[in-house]
Amino acid sequence: MTAVAVIGLGTMGLGIAQVFAAAGYTVLATDSHEPARANALDRIATSLAPRVEAGKLSSIDRDAIRSRVQIVDGPEAMGQAALAIEAVIEQLPAKQSLFAALEQVMAPDAILATNTSSLSVAAIAQGLKHPDRIIGLHFFNPAPAMKLVELVAHPGTAPRALDTARALMQPTGKTVIDCPDRPGFIVNRCARPFYGEALALMEEGRTPAEIDAAMVQAGYRLGPFSLIDLIGADINLAATEGLNRAMDGHPRYHVFDALRAQVASGTLGRKTGRGFVHPDPLPPAPQDAPAIVLRIEATLANEAAWLLAEGGTTRDGIDTALKLGLNLPRGPFDCLQAHGPATIAAELARLEQAAPPHLKTRYLPPPDGLTA
Ligand SMILES: NC(=O)c1ccc[n+]([C@@H]2O[C@H](COP(=O)([O-])OP(=O)(O)OC[C@H]3O[C@@H](n4cnc5c(N)ncnc54)[C@H](O)[C@@H]3O)[C@@H](O)[C@H]2O)c1
């Protein structure tokens, strides 16, 4: 029986352990915090309970999933695993020293994966004896429910490590999308304009509710502000600030004052009972809803085109990642095709021309332009 190791049994690690156990793997799981180890199996059972109650999972299968997870004291007990995934604290030294310890015990052909959201996989691999087997496997929260996993290669990752990782992921049923080792990977980066352009419209005087209503009318399950309310404005701000820093403050990753003000006001979204639009119902879509949708979709297409031009991913990969990771009804390249590159280019040119000084260059397309 192939074993998968999971280190860090918080929100993500516990979900990842459940994913691999449900796929039939033996999971060797650990956490540096003793209580997290002690209650991990109970937390997995609790996480599976709604599916058992809904009749979607038998109690026998639940027990089988649980019994495949073995809690161990630390990395030294993980030598037999074919793949180790870390979901520990988001700090570079913690991840580097963990991988250094894993390298001591794991087989030479075993794969070491990080679930980092914001660190560079290359930086994590630096200083290790075998950086060629270090990859990113970026799961989304909640890991058992979200179909998407971004498979991140850093420049030194061996193709063999990627092939092995894809093969090991196959039984989990996840959709694995190749992704370059760039800040925000695919989803967290290409999602920025969805929120950012909505915030730009808000700063120009539009209300969050009418912007969301326009997007919902166009087929989006949630508008940008309702999505921020769901995630939490503070979490969205931290993600935006992180990407802004990683991209040297480029205006495409501008941190809008409207978002900062929302966080400062404490109305963070569902978790505080009030957000940009939550809990109020949306009004009817405004008359110029198609113009709002075009503007947001044009900037989504532009960001995706910039990422594509940097290499390491594909149009289909980006579209699939955003549909699965952000629940969008169509990907940025679907939008490009639907509106037509000429319409999108004209919209971006209009926005660039009208941009205030702090947003100048935000709307410029990549050097090779936009092609459907
Ligand atoms: N929460 C999310 O939505 C999300 C989504 C994708 C990726 N991630 C990434 O996943 C990782 C974990 O995030 P989380 O939200 O699950 O965090 P968390 O705080 O819920 O859990 C982290 C766990 O790691 C343990 N830990 C810390 N240092 C350790 C070490 N050196 N060895 C073993 N265990 C250690 C902690 O005790 C804790 O139980 C981070 O890298 C984060 O960026 C988070």
Side-chain angles (χ1 to χ4, degrees):
M1 180 96 67
T2 307
V4 171
V6 179
I7 306 96
L9 296 173
T11 307
M12 293 307 295
L14 197 79
I16 293 167
Q18 183 184 314
V19 165
F20 282 99
Y25 289 102
T26 296
V27 176
L28 305 172
T30 198
D31 194 292
S32 57
H33 189 52
E34 197 280 329
R37 293 198 300 276
N39 64 24
L41 294 182
D42 286 347
R43 284 185 287 141
I44 287 179
T46 304
S47 148
L48 291 169
R51 294 191 55 220
V52 176
E53 279 151 28
K56 292 182 181 157
L57 182 74
S58 72
S59 50
I60 294 172
D61 286 345
R62 175 202 56 205
D63 293 346
I65 292 171
R66 202 184 132 128
S67 71
R68 281 195 285 273
V69 181
Q70 294 171 22
I71 305 299
V72 299
D73 285 343
E76 57 287 353
M78 296 178 147
Q80 74 193 88
L83 164 70
I85 305 177
E86 70 75 21
V88 305
I89 189 168
E90 186 75 333
Q91 286 177 7
L92 185 59
K95 293 188 191 285
Q96 282 177 325
S97 62
L98 174 61
F99 280 146
L102 284 166
E103 269 198 332
Q104 302 290 323
V105 297
M106 294 188 67
D109 58 349
I111 307 298
L112 276 60
T114 174
N115 186 48
T116 183
S117 296
S118 60
L119 300 171
S120 135
V121 178
I124 294 172
Q126 207 168 28
L128 291 174
K129 273 192 243 145
H130 304 288
D132 56 321
R133 54 156 157 177
I134 308 293
I135 59 167
L137 276 177
H138 187 227
F139 287 75
F140 290 73
N141 187 19
M146 297 292 285
K147 289 291 280 175
L148 178 68
V149 175
E150 293 174 333
L151 172 61
V152 187
H154 70 85
T157 302
R160 183 195 57 77
L162 298 169
D163 292 343
T164 306
R166 277 189 211 99
L168 288 166
M169 284 300 298
Q170 210 265 335
T172 67
K174 300 291 182 196
T175 301
V176 177
I177 300 289
D178 290 339
C179 175
D181 187 20
R182 298 282 298 141
F185 305 131
I186 298 175
V187 173
N188 286 343
R189 170 169 165 184
C190 290
R192 289 337 324 149
F194 188 62
Y195 312 112
E197 211 48 36
L199 287 158
L201 278 158
M202 182 183 166
E203 290 189 1
E204 289 168 23
R206 307 303 298 253
T207 68
E210 64 181 341
I211 296 164
D212 273 18
M215 297 303 279
V216 168
Q217 180 178 262
Y220 289 77
R221 192 170 298 179
L222 289 177
F225 293 103
S226 299
L227 196 50
I228 296 177
D229 286 349
L230 178 67
I231 296 164
D234 53 337
I235 304 289
N236 190 283
L237 176 61
T240 310
E241 285 178 335
L243 210 59
N244 178 280
R245 270 194 304 277
M247 294 301 214
D248 299 324
H250 191 285
R252 287 208 314 278
Y253 315 97
H254 180 69
V255 185
F256 284 88
D257 287 343
L259 180 60
R260 289 192 201 283
Q262 189 74 17
V263 173
S265 77
T267 48
L268 303 179
R270 294 193 193 194
K271 64 185 170 188
T272 60
R274 180 156 288 280
F276 280 107
V277 291
H278 180 82
D280 301 329
L282 291 181
Q287 276 210 316
D288 66 343
I292 292 175
V293 174
L294 172 62
R295 177 166 170 175
I296 292 175
E297 290 189 340
T299 54
L300 280 169
N302 196 35
E303 188 60 42
W306 276 97
L307 176 61
L308 185 72
E310 290 168 22
T313 185
T314 63
R315 286 162 184 266
D316 275 359
I318 293 174
D319 276 356
T320 302
L322 282 166
K323 284 188 274 191
L324 294 180
L326 213 60
N327 218 345
L328 300 188
R330 47 192 173 270
F333 290 105
D334 296 329
C335 296
L336 184 63
Q337 188 137 30
H339 294 286
T343 303
I344 297 281
E347 176 67 359
L348 291 171
R350 181 188 75 74
L351 290 165
E352 182 62 29
Q353 233 244 314
H358 66 283
L359 293 182
K360 280 284 179 220
T361 73
R362 175 175 171 85
Y363 303 99
L364 294 179
D368 289 341
L370 303 154
T371 43

